[in-house]
């Protein structure tokens, strides 16, 4: 059943608590990438325009509650104040910031909010109970508002007080950002137009086993690249040199190869190097020609051609995980090549779920070539595994 969205709520004059994802990178007090703030603007502006009193809550980074000194340092460096300043420049409404997560100042400021004004609560993780979904904390935070909107996809796979806790108490709805994530990911994973081709890469098989198993149910082909391919090669008895290997996943790899017969496509050639940190000898060879002492760090041109053929005619493409060590230019060609192939596919719905693959596509200029690039790394991964995300499950159905 479809979840309620902000449009299903009567927000005029109401105190609306919105869980946003303002977990942005900050260096020396400067926000280096404000994508996540931009992403929350449609929901924030809608609420402002419709006369809500908007209370924004988010975490920022990790906060160490086990060590008093570290806690103090985190509380000094992980304040949401720079985010409040940045948001003020992006919206027409007044933005208030309260440097606490509870207490009289916060309560008074909320009670003094005018319709169409915004208040940002300090970093939710300054509360030790946040990540424990502490019921007292959830009740307290819920008491500050009338309605709850979840617009933080990046934390939807976690049951914390500021999403699941508040959401289980107040009337709730999804924000526009999460609505779009759910719509696009559901379409790709559960209601995809066939043929469906999934591309799975990244470092470890262990991270992606559940994704592969779930996608095997719906995908016509699964193209595998990246470091995880080597555990499959090893399972097939190939020499893989010093390439990434998860010995304890060889049986799982064998099992997946068996289950996915006819569907799973592995690389045929790869770029190998004699050293990871300081590669002095880099060459491209077929996967059955890997010399001892070398490691595979990217897919090769024959593989890109093979993958291009497999993707030809696809109506749905789901991509998770880079094809190589794309952070180094030398080993980025496979990942960029996949971006180019997908960009050239006419009429296919294409979705990226996965933090590193998303940033590879965005940083190489392919942001507009995909139907959807998920904002949640871990959350999109769990969605593709077929798991229910607690931050979404808690939101009321229409
Ligand atoms: P995503 O975040 O998109 O889900 P992952 O986190 O699973 O992707 O994997 C990304 C990481 O995998 C990158 O840091 C990349 O360098 C690494 N990687 C890809 N291919 C290889 C390889 N052949 N050897 C070692 N690491 C690899
Ligand atoms: Mg990653």
């Amino acid at each position: 059943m479809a979840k309620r969205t902000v449009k299903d709520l009567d927000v005029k004059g109401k105190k609306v608590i919105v869980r946003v994802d303002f977990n942005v990178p900050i260096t020396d007090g400067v926000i280096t990438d404000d994508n996540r703030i931009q992403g929350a603007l449609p929901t924030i502006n809608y609420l402002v325009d419709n006369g809500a009193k908007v209370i924004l809550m988010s975490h920022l980074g990790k906060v160490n509650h086990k060590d008093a000194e570290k806690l103090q340092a985190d509380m000094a460096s992980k304040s949401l104040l720079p985010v409040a300043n940045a948001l003020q420049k992006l919206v027409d409404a007044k933005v208030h910031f309260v440097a606490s997560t509870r207490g009289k100042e916060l309560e008074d400021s909320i009670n003094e909010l005018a319709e169409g004004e915004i208040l940002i609560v300090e970093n939710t993780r300054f509360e030790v109970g946040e990540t424990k979904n502490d019921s007292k904390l959830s009740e307290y935070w819920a008491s500050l508002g009338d309605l709850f909107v979840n617009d933080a996809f990046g934390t939807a796979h976690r049951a914390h007080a500021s999403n699941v806790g508040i959401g289980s108490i107040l009337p709730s709805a999804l924000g526009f950002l999460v609505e779009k994530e759910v719509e696009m990911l559901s379409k790709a994973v559960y209601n995809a137009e066939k043929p469906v081709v999934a591309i799975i890469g990244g470092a470890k098989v262990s991270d992606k086993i559940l994704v592969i198993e779930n996608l095997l149910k719906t995908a016509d082909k699964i193209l595998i690249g990246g470091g995880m391919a080597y555990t499959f090669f090893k399972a097939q008895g190939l020499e893989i040199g010093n390439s990434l290997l998860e010995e304890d996943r060889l049986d799982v790899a064998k099992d997946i190869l068996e289950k996915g017969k006819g569907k799973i496509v592995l690389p045929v050639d790869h770029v190998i190097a004699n050293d990871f940190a300081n590669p002095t000898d880099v060459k491209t060879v077929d996967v059955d020609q890997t010399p001892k002492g070398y490691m595979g760090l990217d897919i090769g041109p024959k593989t890109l051609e093979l993958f291009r053929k497999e993707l030809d005619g696809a109506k749905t493409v789901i991509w998770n995980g880079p094809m190589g060590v794309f952070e180094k230019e030398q080993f980025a060609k496979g990942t960029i090549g996949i971006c180019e192939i997908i960009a050239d596919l006419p009429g296919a719905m294409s979705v990226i779920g996965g933090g590193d693959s998303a940033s590879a596509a965005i940083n190489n200029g392919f942001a507009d070539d995909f139907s959807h690039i998920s904002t949640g790394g871990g959350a999109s991964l769990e969605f593709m595994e077929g798991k229910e995300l607690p931050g979404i499950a808690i939101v009321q159905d229409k």
Side-chain angles (χ1 to χ4, degrees):
M1 202 189 289
K3 294 289 176 185
R4 298 207 303 188
T5 76
V6 263
K7 287 199 173 160
D8 298 312
L9 299 176
D10 181 10
V11 301
K12 172 120 180 86
K14 299 277 172 48
K15 291 179 275 186
V16 183
I17 299 177
V18 189
R19 178 54 161 100
V20 285
D21 181 1
F22 282 167
N23 185 28
V24 292
I26 298 183
T27 311
D28 299 329
V30 180
I31 296 168
T32 52
D33 176 355
D34 74 346
N35 267 335
R36 285 182 168 160
I37 304 178
Q38 299 276 359
L41 290 179
T43 298
I44 295 172
N45 286 331
Y46 174 87
L47 290 170
V48 166
D49 292 345
N50 286 280
K53 301 170 179 179
V54 186
I55 303 161
L56 303 179
M57 300 185 81
S58 175
H59 78 283
L60 176 62
K62 289 199 170 120
V63 176
N64 189 325
H65 285 274
K66 298 213 170 93
D67 178 317
E69 232 167 80
K70 287 196 180 126
L71 177 60
Q72 228 172 5
D74 282 342
M75 288 181 77
S77 64
K78 291 172 184 169
S79 167
L80 281 171
L81 177 61
V83 174
N85 292 334
L87 182 66
Q88 183 62 84
K89 296 197 183 101
L90 296 171
V91 294
D92 287 332
K94 172 80 191 142
V95 177
H96 303 266
F97 172 71
V98 178
S100 48
T101 45
R102 63 168 75 223
K104 187 161 175 351
E105 191 202 345
L106 177 63
E107 291 155 24
D108 289 347
S109 303
I110 288 174
N111 288 330
E112 285 159 18
L113 269 184
E115 291 181 10
E117 286 189 345
I118 299 166
L119 180 145
I120 302 189
V121 180
E122 185 55 286
N123 188 347
T124 53
R125 289 205 186 154
F126 288 1
E127 290 283 347
V128 69
E130 157 73 328
T131 56
K132 302 189 171 111
N133 191 11
D134 179 82
S135 61
K136 285 258 158 49
L137 179 64
S138 304
E139 275 161 34
Y140 172 69
W141 277 342
S143 76
L144 302 173
D146 304 310
L147 301 169
F148 174 71
V149 171
N150 190 3
D151 209 21
F153 188 70
T155 42
H157 58 315
R158 305 264 181 253
H160 290 171
S162 66
N163 59 356
V164 170
I166 303 175
S168 60
I169 300 168
L170 292 179
S172 57
L174 300 180
F176 295 123
L177 179 72
V178 175
E179 182 192 15
K180 179 164 185 245
E181 289 276 7
V182 172
E183 185 196 320
M184 297 303 274
L185 292 172
S186 302
K187 211 170 148 196
V189 179
Y190 297 109
N191 296 304
E193 200 183 330
K194 284 188 157 266
V196 179
V197 180
I199 308 162
I200 309 291
K204 293 187 185 163
V205 197
S206 50
D207 288 344
K208 307 289 164 86
I209 293 166
L210 297 175
V211 176
I212 297 176
E213 284 185 342
N214 194 41
L215 292 181
L216 270 175
K217 293 179 200 153
T218 51
D220 298 282
K221 285 283 160 79
I222 297 186
L223 318 181
I224 291 180
M228 58 179 276
Y230 295 94
T231 301
F232 289 97
F233 287 142
K234 184 82 179 178
Q236 290 178 325
L238 287 181
E239 169 65 52
I240 61 165
N242 295 335
S243 306
L244 270 190
L245 170 67
E246 288 175 275
E247 290 261 17
D248 56 337
R249 300 302 153 124
L250 282 169
D251 286 341
V252 181
K254 275 185 199 145
D255 183 49
I256 289 176
L257 286 172
E258 187 57 37
K259 272 195 233 158
K261 242 193 193 131
K263 282 192 176 187
I264 289 184
V265 183
L266 289 167
V268 288
D269 66 342
H270 59 168
V271 182
I272 58 172
N274 59 337
D275 191 56
F276 182 82
N278 184 25
T280 51
D281 189 18
V282 178
K283 51 195 177 191
T284 303
V285 298
D286 287 354
V287 293
D288 57 0
Q289 301 295 318
T290 311
K292 284 208 170 68
Y294 281 73
M295 58 182 79
L297 297 169
D298 194 12
I299 57 172
K302 286 186 199 165
T303 303
L304 270 176
E305 269 324 296
L306 173 66
F307 285 5
R308 183 192 298 281
K309 285 205 193 91
E310 296 289 357
L311 283 158
D312 188 35
K315 285 277 179 254
T316 305
V317 180
I318 306 169
W319 182 20
N320 170 281
M323 297 290 100
V325 182
F326 72 100
E327 297 93 337
K328 298 189 181 183
E329 206 191 322
Q330 269 177 306
F331 309 116
K333 288 196 193 78
T335 302
I336 295 173
I338 289 292
C339 290
E340 283 165 351
I341 294 169
I342 295 173
D344 283 345
L345 284 181
M349 182 205 172
S350 53
V351 170
I352 303 182
D356 290 291
S357 10
S359 67
I362 293 167
N363 296 338
N364 287 293
F366 294 93
D368 296 332
D369 293 304
F370 290 85
S371 312
H372 182 63
I373 299 181
S374 179
T375 55
S380 57
L381 197 74
E382 291 199 17
F383 193 100
M384 288 189 288
E385 290 174 350
K387 287 190 187 141
E388 186 174 57
L389 307 184
I392 290 166
I394 198 69
V395 169
Q396 286 170 277
D397 293 323
K398 272 195 205 274

